[in-house]
Amino acid sequence: MNQRLEIVLRVTADLNLARDWELVLLAQGLSPSLRPADGGIVLSVPEAEADRARSALLANDNENALKLVERSEPAGSWSVLAGSVVSGIFILVMFCVTTVWLPTVSWFERGGADADRILHGELWRAVTALTLHADVAHAVSNAAAAAIFIGMVSSLLGLGLGCALVLLAGAGGNLANAFLQGSPHVSIGASTAVFGAVGLVSGLTVAKHRREPSTRRRAWLPIAAALALLGMLGSGGVRVDIWAHLFGLVVGAVLGVFIGYAAPRRAGSRMQWVFGGAAVGVMIYSWTLALR
C-alpha cells in the first residue's frame, strides 16, 4: 500500500498555535495533519504541498507580527495628556507675555501675519502669528481647542512629531492665506494650527483606511467630518479668518496622508525629541528674527 510522503513543517508544544497553523493551511485548500510527538505537536503536509504551505505560514507569521507591533505600541494616553497640557499652557503663557507681562514690546506689529510683509520676505510671521491673541477670550478658546486636537495628534504620532507637524500645518496655512489675501490683510491666532491638527487627524485616518481593504470605501469620510467641523467651529464670527482655517486644515490633511503612508509606525523616543526640539527651535528663531 502506498503511503503519501509527509513533510514536517513545524513543531510546537502549544496545541492552540498548532491548530491555528492548521486552519491557515486548510483555508488555502491544503491537507495539513497534526500528530503528537516527543517535542510536542507536529504539523505536516503532503510533499507536493510543502512549498505552498511554507509560503502560507510565512505570510501568516508576517501578518501576525505586524498586528503584534501595532498592539504593543503605547495607547497614547501619556501623549494625549502631554500634547494637551503643553499646547494649552503654551498659548496661555504667550498671551500673558505679549499682553500682560511685556505689553511695551511691539509683538503684534512685529509678529502678526501681515500678508504684504510676508510676500516681501518676512516668512517668519507665518510662525510668530500663531502665538499672538487679541484678548483673553481669543486665547482661552484657542488654548482649549488646541488641548483637544493637538492632544489627538500627539496620541497618533507622539508629542514631538505631532507638535512639529501642527506647527508646519499652521505656518503653511498662514503662508497660503497671505498669498491669497494679499495686502493689507493681517491675521493672528493659533486657530490656523488648531485646524491644521484637525486636518492631520483626518489625513492620518484616511491613510489608515486606504491601507485596509475592508475600510477603503470609507476612507474619505474623515475629510468630510473635518470640513463639517470647519463649518461649525471655524466659519462664524466677525473676526474669524475662514481662509486661514481652511488652508490650515488642507495643509494638515496633506501632511497627515503623507505621513500615514510614508511612516505608518510611530517614531521612536529619540526622533520625538529631535522633532520636538526642531519645533521649539523654529519658534525661537522666528521670534528672534521678528524682534531683531
Side-chain angles (χ1 to χ4, degrees), residues 23 41 64 79 111 120 123 153 171 175 183 186 190 199 208 221 225 234 244-246 257 261 264 282 284:
L23 288 174
I41 309 299
N64 287 335
S79 294
H120 283 84
L123 301 181
V153 172
L175 285 175
S183 180
V186 179
K208 180 180 179 180
L221 289 179
H245 295 172
L246 176 61
V257 171
Y261 278 108
V282 167
I284 293 174

Side-chain angles (χ1 to χ4, degrees), residues 252-268:
V254 171
L255 290 173
V257 171
F258 174 78
I259 293 296
Y261 278 108
R265 297 181 185 177
R266 182 197 297 255

Side-chain angles (χ1 to χ4, degrees), residues 215-258:
T215 59
R216 190 166 293 170
R217 291 184 178 181
R218 303 194 303 270
W220 300 105
L221 289 179
I223 297 297
L227 291 173
L229 194 62
L230 174 66
M232 289 188 294
L233 302 179
S235 60
V238 177
R239 295 188 298 174
V240 169
D241 193 339
I242 179 62
W243 286 108
H245 295 172
L246 176 61
F247 284 127
L249 180 71
V250 170
V251 175
V254 171
L255 290 173
V257 171
F258 174 78

Side-chain angles (χ1 to χ4, degrees), residues 152-178:
M152 293 173 63
V153 172
S154 297
S155 73
L156 297 172
L157 297 174
L159 180 60
L161 178 58
C163 288
L165 289 176
V166 169
L167 178 63
L168 181 59
N174 277 341
L175 285 175
N177 192 40

Side-chain angles (χ1 to χ4, degrees), residues 18-240:
R19 286 175 175 170
D20 288 343
W21 290 339
E22 183 183 29
L23 288 174
V24 169
L25 299 183
L26 287 172
Q28 297 296 318
L30 304 178
S31 307
S33 61
L34 297 176
R35 59 182 174 83
D38 293 339
I41 309 299
V42 175
L43 173 71
S44 61
V45 293
E47 182 179 20
E49 299 178 358
D51 290 339
R52 289 175 58 199
R54 292 190 185 98
S55 298
L57 290 174
L58 180 60
N60 180 68
D61 290 344
N62 291 336
E63 181 180 354
N64 287 335
L66 180 58
K67 291 179 180 178
L68 180 62
V69 168
E70 291 176 348
R71 287 198 301 267
S72 64
E73 289 180 349
S77 57
W78 180 88
S79 294
V80 172
L81 179 62
S84 299
V85 171
V86 168
S87 57
I89 289 179
F90 175 76
I91 290 173
L92 295 177
V93 168
M94 282 301 298
F95 173 73
C96 291
V97 170
T98 56
T99 62
V100 180
W101 299 335
L102 297 172
T104 57
V105 179
S106 53
W107 300 98
F108 292 85
E109 194 278 331
R110 292 176 177 269
D114 184 316
D116 184 61
R117 294 188 177 186
I118 288 176
L119 295 176
H120 283 84
E122 297 184 7
L123 301 181
W124 64 82
R125 290 176 176 272
V127 174
T128 55
L130 299 172
T131 67
L132 298 173
H133 294 86
D135 51 46
V136 173
H138 189 204
V140 170
S141 62
N142 276 343
I148 295 171
F149 294 110
I150 296 179
M152 293 173 63
V153 172
S154 297
S155 73
L156 297 172
L157 297 174
L159 180 60
L161 178 58
C163 288
L165 289 176
V166 169
L167 178 63
L168 181 59
N174 277 341
L175 285 175
N177 192 40
F179 279 100
L180 173 72
Q181 302 276 13
S183 180
H185 183 79
V186 179
S187 65
I188 57 172
S191 53
T192 305
V194 170
F195 278 99
V198 174
L200 276 163
V201 173
S202 300
L204 289 167
T205 307
V206 166
K208 180 180 179 180
H209 286 327
R210 291 291 296 174
R211 293 198 307 268
E212 299 176 2
S214 62
T215 59
R216 190 166 293 170
R217 291 184 178 181
R218 303 194 303 270
W220 300 105
L221 289 179
I223 297 297
L227 291 173
L229 194 62
L230 174 66
M232 289 188 294
L233 302 179
S235 60
V238 177
R239 295 188 298 174
V240 169

